[in-house]
């Protein structure tokens, strides 16, 4: 098992589970971007008895890769959804993992990402509303998801059509309460927003000889924790 370990709660929780349930052959690594985070991650790994490796990762290397033909080819093979999926950082990470003598050439890579923060992304006025319209909900998703995009009326119309026909709204009435609004956002965040990242990267990781797993996206794991 390879675990990208940060000082954040999610990867620490996964590392704790692996230790508590007696998993062996666990390797952790951290991007050497932030000195404090790398030190914290190393301390966590050592406390849990897992080997730790720091991977050098500079902004210059990232920029060089993003502007390369390799990045374009990788995007065409594994990406899509109008964004750089899989993340350029994932490719650089895999190349560094493969080249590192202290990290295995195969196994499961576990990410600590989770969808439990979705509620934090829901506009507060929706949570206090007894009645939310489907149109209003779609508009909120567009405004939240595409904050960094210059949305003209034509593009907004296209995005609205895509969301309206999304599986998250199947069987949903035109009006619903705040609890339903939160559930729909959870569903969007898990199955629509992150699906491209998960699928695209899964194929990419397989190409390098690894399996990719998000334990905190697994309903059985989440139910167990709950």
């Amino acid at each position: 098992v390879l675990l990208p370990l940060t000082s954040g709660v999610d990867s620490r929780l996964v590392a704790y589970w692996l230790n508590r349930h007696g998993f062996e052959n666990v390797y952790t690594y951290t991007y050497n971007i932030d000195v404090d985070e790398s030190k914290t991650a190393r301390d966590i790994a050592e406390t849990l008895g897992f080997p730790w490796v720091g991977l050098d990762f500079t902004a210059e290397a990232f920029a060089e890769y993003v502007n390369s033909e390799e990045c374009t080819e990788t995007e065409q093979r594994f990406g899509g959804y109008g964004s750089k999926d899989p993340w350029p950082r994932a490719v650089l990470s895999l190349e560094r993992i493969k080249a590192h003598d202290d990290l295995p050439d195969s196994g499961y890579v576990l990410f600590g990402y989770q969808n439990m923060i979705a509620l934090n992304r829901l506009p507060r006025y929706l949570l206090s509303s007894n009645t939310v319209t489907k149109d209003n909900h779609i508009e909120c998703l567009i405004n939240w998801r595409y904050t960094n995009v210059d949305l003209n009326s034509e593009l907004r119309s296209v995005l609205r059509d895509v969301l309206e026909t999304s599986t998250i709204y199947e069987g949903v009435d035109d009006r619903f309460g705040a609890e339903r609004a939160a559930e729909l956002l959870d569903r969007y965040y898990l199955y629509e927003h992150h699906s491209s990242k998960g699928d695209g990267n899964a194929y990419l990781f397989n190409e390098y000889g690894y399996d990719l797993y998000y334990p905190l996206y697994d309903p059985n794991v989440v139910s167990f924790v709950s």
Side-chain angles (χ1 to χ4, degrees), residues 176-189:
F176 40 84
E179 186 175 343
R180 183 65 156 161
E183 178 195 341
L184 291 174
L185 186 69
D186 264 340
R187 198 185 298 178
Y188 171 80
Y189 194 78

Side-chain angles (χ1 to χ4, degrees), residues 62-92 113 145-146 149 193-202 204-205 214:
F62 182 83
E64 181 181 348
Y65 174 75
V66 168
N67 293 314
S68 69
E69 290 184 9
E70 181 187 357
C71 182
T72 302
E73 292 170 1
T74 303
E75 161 66 10
Q76 289 172 348
R77 290 184 61 196
F78 301 102
Y81 298 89
S83 61
K84 286 293 179 186
D85 285 321
W87 309 323
R89 188 171 73 178
V91 178
L92 294 178
Y113 298 111
R145 179 68 179 89
Y146 301 96
V149 180
H193 175 43
H194 277 290
S195 63
S196 59
K197 180 174 73 179
D199 294 343
N201 274 309
L204 175 70
F205 275 69
Y214 295 83

Side-chain angles (χ1 to χ4, degrees), residues 91-109:
V91 178
L92 294 178
S93 301
L94 285 164
E95 291 179 352
R96 281 159 173 71
I97 291 169
K98 274 291 191 182
H100 207 289
D101 293 336
D102 294 330
L103 294 174
D105 288 331
S106 62
Y108 279 91
V109 179

Side-chain angles (χ1 to χ4, degrees), residues 5 15-16 19 28 39-52:
L5 186 62
Y16 168 73
N19 170 271
T28 65
K39 182 182 183 304
T40 300
R42 185 180 68 241
D43 290 346
I44 293 168
E46 290 176 353
T47 300
L48 296 175
F50 298 146
W52 178 88

Side-chain angles (χ1 to χ4, degrees), residues 115-116 190-191 213-226:
N115 74 313
M116 301 175 202
L190 180 57
Y191 294 109
Y213 180 52
Y214 295 83
L216 295 176
Y217 275 71
D218 187 328
N220 293 320
V221 173
V222 174
S223 294
F224 173 75
V225 175
S226 298

